Amino acid sequence: MIFTAPSSSPASTDTLAVIGSGSWATALVKILTDHGNHVDWYVRKEADISHIKTYLQNPNYLKGVKFQPESITPSRDLNTVISKNKWIILALPSAFLEATLEQLKFSLDNKIIVSGVKGLLPKTKSLVGDYVKDYFNVPPAQFVVISGPCHAEEIAKNHLSFLTLGCSDIKTAKALKSKMSTPYLSISISKDVVGIELAAILKNMYALVAGIATGLAYGDNFQSVLLSNSIEEMKAFLNQRNPTKRNLNSSVYLGDLIVTAYSEHSRNRRLGELLGKGHTVEKALEKMNMIAEGYYASKNFAVLKAECSVETPIMDSLYEILFKGKSAAKTMQQLVQKLH
């Protein structure tokens, strides 16, 4: 179903910035401007900024999305973009976040940091929420995480999508929800910040394994078993790492896992498919035109499992294929014996 965005809407009194220029960042800019907000948009490359100003669209991602000139101000001056805005929405790959924020010349104390990042940070080996708290003194009440089954490509077409905003302060989450409300979005609010961050990381890894199974022609019957085992593994892992009351059947957990594992838009599934079809890890990565976060999540797998005693055969198998040189076919055959 396609929903039409309103032609105009009252602008927000709180200023907003989006950091990043990939497909998800572009989708978030679309959501915010469709509601009537103005967005200061940090774009790293000058050539991309020039294209956006001239043609009012991202030259590399979601090219069908056009912005109104008064709705966006693209800039490559990170410090200016962040200093003048209260809401800072991080929407770039986890591999680049630390290096980007290291450019800052001032504190983020009075900012509300919103993370659309779905990965573990490679240098500090931390979740985004922990990183901004430990390195920039951002308190939990000023940190929000965005997640859910919501591909940027479908946002671009105004397809109905579901998002969850996680924050320890419900008022902060509600304030952000009010800035993102559009006819094509259903937005929920949760206090399970850490669980949502972890689930977003794990589902990318499980989707990679689902892609490997697809590449090996395992079929739909096996995929259903793989995903049912994946959600069980995720549940056990989350309950040990961050025990709290949560419903794993909610869209932000199970829904996001399903769409990432099955959708043609899923870059993690695509990378897995290439591996299943016999490509080496290096060749498969070369063929990807976008970053598959599951690869980096698996690379930091030891950190995720630290002080965690639960069995994680699916994540273990992925790590062996990606970083121990194990055969995808043989490893999947061994994994089959551990599923039920």
Side-chain angles (χ1 to χ4, degrees):
M1 186 177 295
I2 298 177
F3 290 76
T4 303
S7 57
S8 63
S9 178
S12 169
T13 55
D14 291 329
T15 53
L16 298 127
V18 171
I19 312 302
S21 57
S23 58
W24 185 221
T26 306
L28 287 169
V29 173
K30 170 178 161 53
I31 290 168
L32 294 166
T33 56
D34 278 352
H35 182 74
N37 301 288
H38 175 272
V39 174
D40 284 313
W41 189 1
Y42 170 71
V43 178
R44 185 172 60 87
K45 296 180 180 179
E46 189 61 50
D48 292 346
I49 293 174
S50 177
H51 185 100
I52 292 170
K53 288 180 176 179
T54 302
Y55 300 103
L56 301 173
Q57 61 185 174
N58 190 322
N60 304 305
Y61 304 99
L62 307 189
K63 296 178 183 179
V65 175
K66 284 210 167 186
F67 299 99
Q68 296 300 315
E70 67 275 9
S71 296
I72 56 171
T73 302
S75 170
R76 66 191 306 265
D77 186 339
L78 180 68
N79 280 280
T80 296
V81 167
I82 290 183
S83 65
K84 65 187 285 195
N85 291 285
K86 178 180 178 180
W87 295 82
I88 312 301
I89 301 174
L90 306 174
L92 64 173
S94 59
F96 306 141
L97 179 61
E98 291 155 310
T100 299
L101 293 186
E102 284 170 2
Q103 301 174 47
L104 290 181
K105 299 177 181 178
F106 52 85
S107 171
L108 295 177
D109 286 358
N110 298 317
K111 308 294 182 181
I112 297 175
I113 306 302
V114 182
S115 173
V117 180
K118 298 186 177 183
L120 202 67
L121 305 185
K123 186 186 294 185
T124 57
K125 306 294 189 292
S126 61
L127 298 172
V128 177
D130 292 332
Y131 175 70
V132 297
K133 175 171 64 71
D134 295 341
Y135 290 84
F136 295 96
N137 300 313
V138 176
Q142 292 170 214
F143 175 76
V144 187
V145 60
I146 301 177
S147 194
C150 192
H151 282 302
E153 293 82 359
E154 296 202 347
I155 290 293
K157 298 176 181 177
N158 289 358
H159 286 183
L160 178 61
S161 301
F162 285 66
L163 282 175
T164 297
L165 305 178
C167 185
S168 64
D169 187 336
I170 296 300
K171 287 184 179 180
T172 302
K174 286 182 176 179
L176 180 59
K177 178 178 178 178
S178 71
K179 303 175 194 308
M180 298 180 68
S181 297
T182 69
Y184 55 82
L185 268 188
S186 176
I187 302 176
S188 302
I189 291 174
S190 170
K191 297 187 78 170
D192 185 23
V193 181
V194 174
I196 291 172
E197 280 200 274
L198 285 171
I201 294 170
L202 300 183
K203 60 96 179 183
N204 285 329
M205 297 171 66
Y206 295 135
L208 243 167
V209 179
I212 292 171
T214 299
L216 290 167
Y218 268 75
D220 291 342
N221 293 337
F222 176 76
Q223 290 285 11
S224 68
V225 173
L226 176 63
L227 290 191
S228 64
N229 278 262
S230 295
I231 198 66
E232 283 189 13
E233 186 173 293
M234 179 188 289
K235 181 178 181 179
F237 186 86
L238 292 184
N239 286 346
Q240 188 163 114
R241 281 292 304 265
N242 182 241
T244 190
K245 185 178 180 180
R246 60 172 65 90
N247 180 7
L248 264 289
N249 293 324
S250 298
S251 62
V252 74
Y253 309 106
L254 179 59
D256 203 8
L257 169 62
I258 291 172
V259 77
T260 310
Y262 275 106
S263 175
E264 63 181 11
H265 300 307
S266 172
R267 59 194 76 172
N268 291 285
R269 181 181 183 274
R270 174 59 179 155
L271 177 59
E273 259 191 275
L274 292 170
L275 296 171
K277 289 178 178 178
H279 292 275
T280 64
V281 175
E282 292 74 19
K283 288 294 183 183
L285 289 171
E286 285 178 11
K287 285 181 172 289
M288 298 291 294
N289 61 356
M290 292 191 288
I291 287 176
E293 287 280 16
Y295 171 80
Y296 295 97
S298 185
K299 190 174 185 179
N300 295 305
F301 179 66
V303 177
L304 286 177
K305 281 203 69 173
E307 301 178 6
C308 184
S309 60
V310 298
E311 296 294 319
T312 55
I314 303 172
M315 288 192 283
D316 292 337
S317 297
L318 178 63
Y319 183 82
E320 289 178 354
I321 293 169
L322 292 178
F323 301 104
K324 290 193 173 181
K326 297 294 182 67
S327 160
K330 290 181 179 179
T331 303
M332 289 298 291
Q333 289 173 358
Q334 294 167 357
L335 175 61
V336 168
Q337 307 306 314
K338 301 174 184 178
L339 305 181
H340 59 273

